[in-house]
Amino acid sequence: MPQTVLILDFGAQYSQLIARRTRELGVYCEIVPHDRPWSELRARNPAALILSGGPASTMTADAPTMDAAAFEAGVPILGICYGMQIMARELGGELVRLEHAEYGPATLSVTTASPLFAGGPRESRVWMSHGDAVTRLPAGFATLASTPRCPVAAIGDVQRRFYGTQFHPEVAHTACGRELLRAFLLEIAGLRGDWAMASFVESAVAEIRRQVGGDRVICALSGGVDSAVAATLVARAIGEQLTCIFVDHGLLRAGEADGVVAAFRDILHLDVVAVDAGARFLAKLAGIEDPERKRVIIGHEFIRVFEEEAAKIPGVRYLVQGTLYPDVIESKTPQSKAGDKIKSHHNVGGLPERMDFALIEPLRMLFKDEVRALGRVLGLPEAIVARQPFPGPGLAVRIIGDVTAERLAILRAADAIVRAEIDGADLDPMPWQYFAVLTPVRSVGVMGDGRTYEHLVAVRAITSEDGMTADWARLPHALLERISTRIVNEVRGINRVAYDITSKPPATVEWE
Ligand code: XMP
């Protein structure tokens, strides 16, 4: 078991960010709900605790709290924003509700030397977001830093190794944030910072062997990075006991299905059953124009094909799933619980629980970027590890309207040009995702001396961090021109190309 930091989640938007920053420093951490009894947390032998921020006010009767026994355990603690306030309150300090909450940047001045700010500059920009403030410190604490509007912006009890920051060290806008977290985790808490993917492989392999014993295991490959890494890791542990099933729904991009099978069979030497189910999916999709119905049909059909194939393999007890940490964190923020459904994302490979298998989810404690790092450690080809996000329902949601074999062929050809041109353009930064969309719009053109009446293709290229929000990429005009000229000249059935200049929100990344 690696040295572990527990992040007590008080409902912050930023809890996952704290976890990511911690892991970037080579420290393994997990997010746990704030109200877990200390006896339960202690059983996991935490090397330090981080108390997250949160939307509540410590001044209300039902303010989320934590088991105060944690303060008696001799474990170093860092409280962030609400986390600092709750620590101050529990240890006997006083707080006030601010008349005007403080949001956004502020200049932090370090006022007292301490291990938390050792090595950092005396002044730096930090990010604030709070409505309460500490006015009287608990016994043993000193004020370490302040901002013009927040006299108590950082506190510390060096003896007990308790620290608090009113600002958010985990966000990129806080210039000294990474250094501060490093100081807390590696210097103050004395963690080694040696958690890396290579050591993860070792413990994951041992755990999978222990769980599976001599039983048979199956896995659905989708072409995506999560299922690929999960399958490779499981194969590393149990070799030939694993069979991968690749359901080709016929909605992948040009060359992709063959590439997936070749990579897994020839490079990684996995046992892969490839099922060409394209005709079956097309038949189910015939005449369907509604995006949500397309998604549901594809999701169901995928499961049916997978079940049929799985039934042909005798004695299977386990199913590998590429579930990631953001999907399993127990305590979700209030923001993530609310929220309207915009579109039902189908993670093809997300198989139903009613299937009679026990689950193996070897990536369930990892973030996406860690999964990519793990894939590289396992020797997966870069084409898979660095693959752009691609929707489970595939090109079906990039063909607006009816999905037919002819339209798929047109879109594949146009999309291949978009990708090849952008890949070859040496852009910095590279767009996060880029592709073509086939619209049902037909317009008049002229080619040679003749009139044409053909389809409009839209090119979409976005910049984004995580797909939640996105901006359209400012591609150079010369590149757009090359893309447009090549598509119109090389793809029969298209005579006009448009570039999508809408951000998300208000648009979404995909058109359907
Ligand atoms: P939207 O269109 O919702 O897309 O702005 C955000 C990101 O999610 C991808 N996407 C999907 N991924 N199944 C997936 O696994 C889906 O059904 C799906 N729909 C959209 C999209 O490509 C973008 O990266």
Side-chain angles (χ1 to χ4, degrees):
M1 195 59 202
Q3 293 180 303
T4 301
V5 169
L6 294 180
I7 298 168
L8 271 58
D9 182 11
F10 289 92
Q13 251 174 313
Y14 297 132
S15 294
Q16 287 199 31
L17 208 48
I18 301 172
R20 295 185 53 158
R21 297 284 177 261
T22 302
R23 291 193 184 181
E24 279 164 20
L25 290 161
V27 174
Y28 182 74
C29 62
E30 289 180 22
I31 300 174
V32 294
H34 61 87
D35 51 3
R36 285 292 138 93
W38 173 244
S39 54
E40 194 183 301
L41 301 182
R42 188 186 47 206
R44 302 166 76 167
N45 197 19
L49 301 180
I50 299 180
L51 317 180
S52 85
S57 163
T58 50
M59 315 291 288
T60 56
D62 56 354
T65 53
M66 56 185 280
D67 185 342
F71 296 111
E72 307 298 328
V75 176
I77 301 179
L78 174 66
I80 295 174
C81 195
Y82 184 89
M84 162 172 132
Q85 296 165 4
I86 203 76
M87 176 161 67
R89 199 192 75 175
E90 291 295 320
L91 295 174
E94 279 174 17
L95 295 104
V96 288
R97 179 109 266 231
L98 293 176
E99 205 171 308
H100 300 290
E102 186 185 17
Y103 299 108
T107 303
L108 183 82
S109 305
V110 176
T111 50
T112 308
S114 76
L116 194 65
F117 292 102
R122 270 188 58 81
E123 292 214 331
S124 62
R125 296 262 287 183
V126 296
W127 193 259
M128 291 288 201
S129 175
H130 64 122
D132 295 348
V134 175
T135 47
R136 199 167 60 84
L137 298 182
F141 278 79
T143 299
L144 306 180
S146 53
T147 71
R149 287 189 53 193
C150 181
V152 184
I155 61 174
D157 176 337
V158 177
Q159 282 296 318
R160 285 189 284 179
R161 298 186 295 172
F162 292 166
Y163 291 89
T165 64
Q166 188 54 71
F167 56 91
H168 288 271
E170 70 277 21
V171 307
H173 306 284
T174 295
C176 60
R178 187 176 188 282
E179 186 47 43
L180 186 151
L181 289 172
R182 202 196 69 78
F184 174 71
L185 294 167
L186 304 194
E187 308 300 335
I188 295 167
L191 285 148
R192 288 190 301 272
D194 58 358
W195 189 71
M197 281 308 139
S199 57
F200 176 83
V201 172
E202 244 172 71
S203 55
V205 161
E207 168 63 20
I208 294 165
R209 284 194 186 135
R210 194 193 55 71
Q211 188 184 354
V212 171
D215 284 316
R216 284 209 70 78
V217 181
I218 50 169
C219 175
L221 288 180
S222 66
V225 60
D226 304 341
S227 63
V229 173
T232 313
L233 185 59
V234 172
R236 175 77 63 99
I238 56 158
E240 288 171 3
Q241 287 161 251
L242 172 72
T243 303
C244 299
I245 299 174
F246 171 54
V247 178
D248 178 6
H249 54 21
L251 304 166
L252 293 178
R253 292 165 289 191
E256 213 166 15
D258 291 344
V260 170
V261 176
F264 284 95
R265 276 199 190 141
D266 306 338
I267 304 178
L268 298 163
H269 307 294
L270 263 59
D271 175 17
V272 182
V273 177
V275 193
D276 178 359
R280 191 168 159 171
F281 277 81
L282 269 186
K284 290 278 177 195
L285 287 169
I288 306 294
E289 297 194 351
D290 177 66
E292 279 303 294
R293 281 198 63 205
K294 284 186 191 173
R295 284 165 183 276
V296 170
I297 288 170
I298 293 166
H300 284 175
E301 200 57 21
F302 184 92
I303 289 165
R304 236 167 267 140
V305 176
F306 184 83
E307 280 176 336
E308 287 170 20
E309 291 304 318
K312 294 180 192 164
I313 306 169
V316 176
R317 281 209 49 208
Y318 291 96
L319 172 71
V320 181
Q321 294 261 49
T323 318
L324 303 191
Y325 196 37
D327 300 325
V328 298
I329 296 173
E330 274 177 83
S331 50
K332 291 263 161 60
T333 65
Q335 289 90 330
S336 70
K337 275 188 195 147
D340 287 341
K341 183 166 123 188
I342 310 294
K343 50 180 98 164
S344 51
H345 279 204
H346 277 280
N347 202 351
V348 167
L351 297 163
E353 282 168 17
R354 72 189 156 85
M355 289 185 78
D356 208 7
F357 301 124
L359 288 184
I360 302 176
E361 297 178 305
L363 314 179
R364 66 196 308 281
M365 299 316 285
L366 302 183
F367 289 109
K368 190 86 179 185
D369 46 345
E370 294 172 325
V371 171
R372 290 190 209 282
L374 175 60
R376 291 192 175 101
V377 168
L378 292 169
L380 279 170
E382 203 53 27
I384 292 179
V385 172
R387 187 185 192 245
Q388 285 183 37
F390 185 67
L395 299 181
V397 292
R398 292 181 180 170
I399 293 175
I400 311 307
D402 195 7
V403 180
T404 63
E406 188 200 357
R407 289 182 171 188
L408 272 169
I410 294 177
L411 178 57
R412 275 202 186 101
D415 183 70
I417 293 171
V418 172
R419 287 191 294 136
E421 286 298 332
I422 294 181
D423 285 339
D426 202 19
L427 301 174
D428 185 22
M430 273 299 273
W432 194 75
Q433 204 175 358
Y434 39 99
F435 53 89
V437 177
L438 183 63
T439 78
V441 171
R442 299 177 82 191
S443 71
V444 175
V446 54
M447 277 191 190
D449 288 329
R451 175 186 193 271
T452 60
Y453 187 57
E454 306 282 17
H455 283 286
L456 167 74
V457 148
V459 175
R460 183 87 163 129
I462 54 142
T463 55
S464 179
E465 289 262 310
D466 50 13
M468 304 292 285
T469 59
D471 197 5
W472 57 281
R474 273 47 171 186
L475 296 184
H477 286 178
L479 172 61
L480 288 170
E481 184 191 336
R482 269 200 309 280
I483 290 173
S484 155
T485 308
R486 277 197 59 195
I487 290 178
V488 173
N489 282 320
E490 295 175 29
V491 184
R492 289 274 299 275
I494 299 176
N495 68 350
R496 197 177 289 267
V497 177
Y499 187 46
D500 182 347
I501 53 168
T502 334
S503 60
K504 171 184 179 176
T508 52
V509 175
E510 305 289 345
W511 278 35
E512 286 198 336

